[in-house]
Amino acid sequence: MAKALYNPALKVRLRRVTGIHFLYIIALVAQLIAYDAGKLIEPVVVLRKWAVIALLIVTVAIIWYSVQKKNVTQATLHKLAFTIITTDIFIASFHVYIQRGMASKAVFLYVIPLIVAACLQRKSALIATSLVCIAAYTLSAIAYFVLNFNEGYKLELYGEIGFYSAMLLFVSLALWLIVRPNQIRSKKA
């Protein structure tokens, strides 16, 4: 029975997603090196960013290796997917906070965990991931606002949070419309 529920397509999708994550890591490293070389960010921020990138590298490498195994179970694939989703949400939240909260352009990074959740082809996974992204974005933006007061207006803060939360839900819906499994609809004569 467990073999019948196994979905080899999920294994292939996770392998591809981890491969794309290595390109994501290269982009993060290139940006960090450029910003550090131009002295655009403080050394302590550079150190924190390297630590976060190292966390991402280790997580993606472990997941990539685990997905390569022949005897990986469906339950393990789901756990690996949620591990990378959680890590991606952390990375996005870190970048939002470190790049001035509501003023950050890093809110786009929350699309990455949504893409990984779409690989599971489950509406509940996409909705849950988008809600966690919204909660993490809200916390990051509010934390920056509270700890760095006078860098914006409260109305602007809630307006940005509301707008980007709606956009994350919109992206989730769009991804679901693209990746949902084919459903056979019976035609009534």
Side-chain angles (χ1 to χ4, degrees):
M1 184 78 174
K3 286 284 186 190
L5 296 175
Y6 179 70
N7 182 1
L10 176 58
K11 183 176 180 176
V12 171
R13 288 191 300 269
L14 280 178
R15 189 180 311 136
R16 289 176 181 165
V17 163
T18 54
I20 291 171
H21 269 73
F22 288 118
L23 296 175
Y24 173 42
I25 291 166
I26 290 169
L28 288 172
V29 167
Q31 181 193 44
L32 180 56
I33 289 171
Y35 285 5
D36 188 29
K39 298 188 186 322
L40 295 177
I41 50 181
E42 299 174 24
V44 68
V45 174
V46 172
L47 177 61
R48 290 178 185 153
K49 283 189 168 207
W50 276 117
V52 167
I53 290 171
L55 169 72
L56 183 60
I57 290 169
V58 168
T59 303
V60 171
I62 290 170
I63 291 170
W64 177 82
Y65 177 76
S66 299
V67 169
Q68 303 300 320
K69 293 181 181 179
K70 286 186 179 182
N71 59 355
V72 64
T73 66
Q74 194 73 6
T76 301
L77 291 173
H78 282 261
K79 289 175 186 173
L80 294 171
F82 283 111
T83 300
I84 200 162
I85 287 168
T86 303
T87 304
D88 286 339
I89 291 171
F90 171 77
I91 301 295
S93 299
F94 170 80
H95 280 90
V96 164
Y97 181 83
I98 211 82
Q99 294 175 5
R100 300 181 327 272
M102 69 174 157
S104 175
K105 295 174 220 57
V107 68
F108 178 77
L109 297 178
Y110 287 108
V111 171
I112 295 169
L114 294 176
I115 292 169
V116 177
C119 290
L120 296 169
Q121 290 185 318
R122 300 180 110 179
K123 189 190 295 187
S124 59
L126 260 170
I127 291 170
T129 301
S130 62
L131 292 175
V132 173
C133 286
I134 289 167
Y137 171 65
T138 300
L139 179 62
S140 298
I142 290 174
Y144 185 86
F145 182 82
V146 168
L147 298 174
N148 299 281
F149 196 69
N150 286 334
E151 292 216 10
Y153 299 103
K154 196 173 276 192
L155 179 60
E156 178 186 22
L157 171 70
Y158 292 125
E160 292 291 310
I161 290 172
F163 175 76
Y164 286 114
S165 296
M167 289 298 101
L168 290 171
L169 289 171
F170 174 78
V171 168
S172 294
L173 175 62
L175 285 169
W176 175 246
L177 293 175
I178 293 167
V179 303
R180 72 179 171 189
N182 291 335
Q183 298 169 345
I184 300 171
R185 295 181 183 151
S186 62
K187 292 183 179 180
K188 293 184 180 180

